[in-house]
Amino acid sequence: AQTVTQSQPEMSVQEAETVTLSCTYDTSESDYYLFWYKQPPSRQMILVIRQEAYKQQNATENRFSVNFQKAAKSFSLKISDSQLGDAAMYFCALYSGGGADGLTFGKGTHLIIQP
Amino acid sequence: DTGVSQDPRHKITKRGQNVTFRCDPISEHNRLYWYRQTLGQGPEFLTYFQNEAQLEKSRLLSDRFSAERPKGSFSTLEIQRTEQGDSAMYLCASRPGGAYEQYFGPGTRLTVT
């Protein structure tokens, strides 16, 4: 069985500062994909960034970047220059196939942006 | 490019009633997923379709739950004899073959009284 663990229920950061959200995972598959999704209050889940396990280079999307440590099974999200609109629940998710096509999600981290 | 849509957005029902939700995926996406999300938790996988074929069902999908995707386009999720424990957000997602990120709809919030 695959698992995703987010150990930070809530994080707070000052506007314009940088924050890092943690995620660890476990899977027996060698080929898999990792995602960060953002879920604003009462709004739908939005894909923030994706990382293919076979790629050594960390993914980057504008102010969002990941630190993917395959051996440690760690996949953290860094948000630079935090903005008020970044306030949301952030979920780490794993796709590893192997007969299980659904995503496995962590419990989420509630990100608060202090103005 | 329209996204994934779900209907209704909110549903309040009494225990024991049947409810049905609809999901319209992004038009070129052949894979469609249903998830359940309870308060303070991440989404949990329920079931998955590739075109009209239901290929995988979670242990969470009790025999009171049934899902269909009759023509490989929209999908319905029916819950029979609802229980208070069924109260949750039901999310639908879709993706095209060859890509692994899923695109989510706004969800249907079910409240069973």
Side-chain angles (χ1 to χ4, degrees):
Chain A
Q2 52 197 34
T3 60
V4 175
T5 302
Q6 294 179 250
S7 58
Q8 304 156 317
E10 186 172 279
M11 292 283 285
S12 181
V13 63
Q14 293 283 344
E15 194 175 4
E17 295 296 309
T18 295
V19 64
T20 298
L21 309 185
S22 300
C23 172
T24 58
Y25 63 92
D26 192 26
T27 177
S28 57
E29 301 292 328
S30 58
D31 189 20
Y32 52 90
Y33 297 79
L34 292 158
F35 308 95
W36 280 97
Y37 282 89
K38 170 185 177 181
Q39 188 175 41
S42 302
R43 295 180 61 186
Q44 67 194 78
M45 194 96 63
I46 302 165
L47 177 67
V48 174
I49 199 165
R50 60 173 275 174
Q51 174 78 43
E52 295 89 340
Y54 62 85
K55 289 187 176 179
Q56 292 187 338
Q57 187 173 6
N58 289 325
T60 299
E61 290 286 344
N62 300 313
R63 298 183 294 108
F64 298 87
S65 61
V66 299
N67 184 4
F68 174 48
Q69 301 289 327
K70 191 171 183 178
K73 295 185 176 177
S74 171
F75 182 61
S76 61
L77 175 70
K78 185 172 82 170
I79 306 174
S80 303
D81 185 26
S82 298
Q83 299 176 1
L84 293 177
D86 295 334
M89 285 294 293
Y90 285 81
F91 292 97
C92 179
L94 167 67
Y95 172 86
S96 61
D101 213 77
L103 294 174
T104 300
F105 284 86
K107 291 189 175 183
T109 296
H110 181 211
L111 179 63
I112 298 167
I113 310 296
Q114 304 279 5
Chain B
D1 178 29
T2 56
V4 178
S5 61
Q6 293 186 244
D7 184 69
R9 296 290 305 275
H10 303 273
K11 179 71 177 179
I12 300 174
T13 191
K14 292 184 178 180
R15 188 177 56 186
Q17 298 295 305
N18 299 343
V19 295
T20 300
F21 311 140
R22 176 179 170 126
C23 170
D24 286 88
I26 294 171
S27 59
E28 63 268 25
H29 290 185
N30 63 347
R31 287 164 169 83
L32 185 149
Y33 302 80
W34 286 99
Y35 293 84
R36 182 173 69 187
Q37 185 179 22
T38 53
L39 200 61
Q41 302 293 319
E44 296 173 293
F45 170 74
L46 293 178
T47 190
Y48 141 67
F49 291 85
Q50 182 171 327
N51 300 312
E52 65 276 8
Q54 188 174 17
L55 297 185
E56 188 181 350
K57 291 194 283 188
S58 161
R59 292 170 297 168
L60 294 175
L61 210 68
S62 77
D63 56 6
R64 296 184 298 105
F65 288 68
S66 62
E68 294 183 340
R69 194 183 183 197
K71 296 183 179 179
S73 56
F74 73 91
S75 175
T76 58
L77 177 68
E78 180 183 16
I79 309 175
Q80 296 183 326
R81 305 181 304 281
T82 52
E83 301 173 355
Q84 286 189 321
D86 297 331
S87 295
M89 176 77 85
Y90 290 85
L91 298 170
C92 178
S94 68
R95 72 169 175 94
Y100 297 97
E101 58 269 27
Q102 296 180 15
Y103 296 86
F104 284 80
T108 295
R109 181 168 295 283
L110 173 67
T111 302
V112 182
T113 62

